Amino acid sequence: MRLATKIKYLIFQSVVLILLLLAVACDDHGIEPRPKPSELSGFSGKVTFISEWPDSIKRAFVVVFQNPLLTPEDFTIFNLKFLSREITLGSQTYEFSSLDSAFIPSVPGPFPPGTYAYIAVAQQSTDELSLARKDWFVSGVYYANGDTTMPGTMVIPDSTFVENINIKVDFDNPPPQPPGYD
């Protein structure tokens, strides 16, 4: 093969590779910038861990339930509206947002506006991922306005991005557990 043909072939391969990388790197919005949080319904916050992680924890997530957890039956996939990406074990802080992908997609587009009754950090110590209430332990709860007497309610108005849904986790002093944890 002549040198000129080899160069043309390498240029062609490079252009194809660049186009492929661009196609893979673009999300469902193409190359347009991601919408600003102020244009979407949703939420964000930060989890701060103020004690050492127990060795028994296998996984932890931020969870959002629409309805209060008053009975073990309320801890269901139908009531669970957001499950964050898995929190890296041993983290000191974890920032989360409804704009990030979650394991439970709601509807395409922004997070649905509404009232959400229970936002928490939940952990599991089982080897296999389980959806049974008895396998989840709540290690931190969102409290509104510093009122630690009851879980805070998160209200997301239409086209509003709510920030500072912050949770402190103290493994040495966990919050009261919702019904169903054995």
Side-chain angles (χ1 to χ4, degrees):
M1 200 184 274
R2 292 187 357 220
L3 181 59
T5 306
K6 285 183 180 180
I7 292 174
K8 286 180 187 177
Y9 182 70
L10 286 173
I11 291 172
F12 174 75
Q13 282 185 324
S14 298
V15 169
V16 169
L17 180 62
I18 290 170
L19 290 174
L20 181 62
L21 288 173
L22 283 173
V24 170
C26 296
D27 61 10
D28 59 342
H29 298 287
I31 59 172
E32 71 183 46
R34 190 176 210 179
K36 295 178 183 171
S38 61
E39 299 170 0
L40 298 173
S41 298
F43 63 93
S44 68
K46 181 178 180 180
V47 179
T48 304
F49 299 92
I50 58 175
S51 59
E52 292 295 316
W53 284 69
D55 292 336
S56 61
I57 297 175
K58 304 285 188 197
R59 64 194 62 78
F61 301 92
V62 174
V63 294
V64 175
F65 289 91
Q66 187 155 23
N67 300 313
L69 301 180
L70 304 175
T71 69
E73 291 74 32
D74 293 328
F75 194 96
T76 68
I77 195 77
F78 302 108
N79 191 16
L80 182 62
K81 300 303 177 188
F82 178 82
L83 180 67
S84 73
R85 294 179 178 167
E86 196 165 323
I87 299 171
T88 303
L89 300 180
S91 297
Q92 296 300 305
T93 61
Y94 175 74
E95 294 187 19
F96 60 93
S97 169
S98 61
L99 295 177
D100 294 336
S101 62
F103 292 106
I104 299 177
S106 52
V107 292
F111 194 80
T115 301
Y116 298 88
Y118 195 80
I119 302 92
V121 173
Q123 67 191 48
Q124 279 191 320
S125 297
T126 57
D127 288 326
E128 299 295 321
L129 184 62
S130 165
L131 296 178
R133 169 65 187 108
K134 66 179 182 62
D135 293 332
W136 289 87
F137 184 81
V138 175
S139 52
V141 174
Y142 166 68
Y143 296 107
N145 304 320
D147 179 5
T148 59
T149 61
M150 60 187 309
T153 299
M154 177 175 66
V155 178
I156 302 176
D158 192 32
S159 300
T160 302
F161 194 85
V162 178
E163 297 178 314
N164 296 318
I165 304 298
N166 299 324
I167 302 170
K168 288 186 180 176
V169 173
D170 183 353
F171 294 111
D172 297 330
N173 187 24
Q177 295 300 298
Y181 182 77
D182 295 334

